[in-house]
């Protein structure tokens, strides 16, 4: 029911290794490479968290499969509520750079909290702030990357970001079990927290000028 927004369509050959080509483009794109790095680190960190959280909850708090399913459903519900209601209200008051600066740090801290709490019920206490931060990141990071490109290349930029996230999602399941066996059951979750924290550091140190200029809410600063 929506009208096409792309007025001038282009038809380019699609290579079988397009995903790998997209990864190369992400690395070479000077304007967006830092945002792609943030996207990669955040997605890898959150995948570390979700990949081994169930095994950790069984080992540490004797959760059943039903308990784990209900827990993830609870997280998903709050993410949906955030994207449906909270994101719009927060977006009217704060620029994407400000939102992401707070939300990325919030996810890093709450993920670390999951690995350190002594009781199972405390996991639920961490879920609400974490899910709200997650919802804000999903909406604002994708939007920031999209708005960084002109109208003719937005689709390509979002495709490149999808490839970056796919690689980030593929790595943790392959190595999380080894990390848990070699160190401790909560080690993959702590690794996830560290990766999200790294995404926050990259974001606040290297993307301030570009993200504020793209958002249009704040004037670009003369220095990073």
């Amino acid at each position: 029911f929506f009208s096409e927004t792309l007025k001038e369509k282009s038809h380019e050959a699609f290579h079988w290794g397009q995903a790998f080509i997209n990864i190369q483009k992400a690395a070479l794109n000077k304007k967006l490479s830092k945002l792609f790095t943030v996207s990669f680190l955040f997605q890898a960190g959150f995948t570390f968290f979700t990949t081994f959280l169930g095994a950790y909850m069984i080992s540490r708090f004797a959760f059943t499969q039903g308990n784990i399913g209900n827990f993830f459903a609870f997280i998903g519900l709050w993410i949906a509520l955030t994207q449906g209601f909270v994101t719009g209200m927060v977006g009217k008051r704060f620029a994407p750079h400000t939102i992401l600066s707070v939300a990325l740090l919030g996810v890093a801290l709450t993920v670390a909290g999951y690995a350190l709490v002594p009781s199972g019920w405390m996991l639920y206490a961490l879920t609400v702030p974490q899910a709200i931060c997650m919802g804000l990141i999903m909406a604002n990071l994708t939007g920031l990357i999209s708005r960084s490109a002109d109208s003719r290349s937005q689709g390509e930029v979002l495709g490149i970001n999808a490839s970056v996230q796919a690689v980030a999602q593929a790595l943790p399941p392959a190595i999380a079990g080894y990390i848990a066996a070699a160190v401790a059951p909560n080690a993959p979750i702590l690794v996830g927290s560290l990766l999200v924290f790294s995404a926050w550091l990259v974001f606040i140190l290297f993307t301030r000028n570009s993200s504020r200029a793209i958002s249009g809410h704040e004037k670009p600063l003369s220095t990073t």
Side-chain angles (χ1 to χ4, degrees), residues 21-22 52 129 173 177 197 221:
I21 295 173
N22 285 347
F52 217 75
F197 184 77
L221 301 181

Side-chain angles (χ1 to χ4, degrees), residues 74-87:
F74 187 66
I75 294 177
L77 175 63
W78 276 100
I79 291 177
L81 289 173
T82 298
Q83 293 185 331
F85 301 100
V86 178
T87 300

Side-chain angles (χ1 to χ4, degrees), residues 115-196:
L116 301 175
V117 294
S119 302
W121 68 266
M122 294 182 180
L123 299 175
Y124 285 91
L126 291 169
T127 297
V128 176
Q130 185 207 41
I132 291 175
C133 289
M134 280 295 306
L136 291 171
I137 292 170
M138 290 176 178
N140 284 277
L141 184 56
T142 303
L144 202 59
I145 291 172
S146 175
R147 288 199 298 273
S148 68
D150 58 53
S151 59
R152 297 191 59 174
S153 59
Q154 280 183 326
E156 181 184 18
V157 166
L158 290 176
I160 292 173
N161 186 53
S163 295
V164 169
Q165 290 182 334
V167 173
Q169 292 170 345
L171 296 177
I175 60 178
Y178 294 102
I179 294 174
V183 184
N186 65 347
I189 300 174
L190 291 173
V191 170
S193 173
L194 182 61
L195 286 171
V196 178

Side-chain angles (χ1 to χ4, degrees), residues 31 41 48 85 120-121 144 175 201 219:
K31 181 179 180 182
L41 290 171
F48 259 107
F85 301 100
W121 68 266
L144 202 59
I175 60 178
L201 278 179
K219 295 180 180 179

